[in-house]
Amino acid sequence: GINAEYGEKDKEKEKKEKREKRESRPERKDKETKEKESHDEKEKKEEKEDKKDKKEEDKKERKEEKEDKKEEKKEEKKEDKKEEKREDRRDRHSQTVSERSISRNRASSQRRVRDLMKKEEDNSI
């Protein structure tokens, strides 16, 4: 009976040693550690993706802003041209108005001159 008991103790001791050896092997980590590491890896990966996405978003936004500015400049140019046209029309209009008044003045002064000449003619007769 003593030998049998001793043999069983040896077997138990062997089992325990094997288990400890197995658990101490670096590639045999406990489940929790493995799960935590894979979770951490996932998080890192997600963070990386988020950063990448943000970068892409920022790039897109900058591009859109650039486009908007371009469009704004175009619109401003259009407005400036319209305003220029308006001013030209105003200038032309005021020019024709002043030309008209000049020609009116000229005509009336010519009339006056004619009337004076006629008066002098009549007086000399």
Side-chain angles (χ1 to χ4, degrees), residues 89-100:
R89 262 199 303 268
R90 262 198 301 271
D91 291 349
R92 275 199 304 275
H93 178 70
S94 60
Q95 199 176 347
T96 55
V97 166
S98 62
E99 279 172 7
R100 274 192 226 131

Side-chain angles (χ1 to χ4, degrees), residues 110-121:
Q110 282 175 348
R111 238 189 334 269
R112 249 183 270 124
V113 169
R114 255 196 319 260
D115 289 349
L116 278 175
M117 299 268 268
K118 201 172 186 189
K119 252 187 195 169
E120 279 199 19
E121 256 179 49

Side-chain angles (χ1 to χ4, degrees), residues 40-85:
D40 290 349
E41 286 290 315
K42 267 186 194 168
E43 274 189 353
K44 265 188 192 169
K45 210 174 185 180
E46 281 175 9
E47 274 179 31
K48 210 174 182 181
E49 297 251 324
D50 287 349
K51 261 189 185 172
K52 198 176 170 187
D53 289 348
K54 193 180 183 326
K55 210 175 182 181
E56 288 288 314
E57 271 302 306
D58 290 349
K59 203 174 177 183
K60 223 182 199 176
E61 259 180 45
R62 280 197 300 274
K63 200 174 182 181
E64 282 174 7
E65 279 175 15
K66 219 177 184 179
E67 290 292 316
D68 288 349
K69 273 189 180 170
K70 248 187 193 173
E71 200 59 36
E72 236 176 75
K73 270 192 175 164
K74 255 188 190 174
E75 286 298 314
E76 274 181 29
K77 257 188 179 171
K78 264 188 191 172
E79 282 303 311
D80 288 350
K81 273 210 163 116
K82 274 184 187 174
E83 188 54 38
E84 219 173 88
K85 274 185 178 175

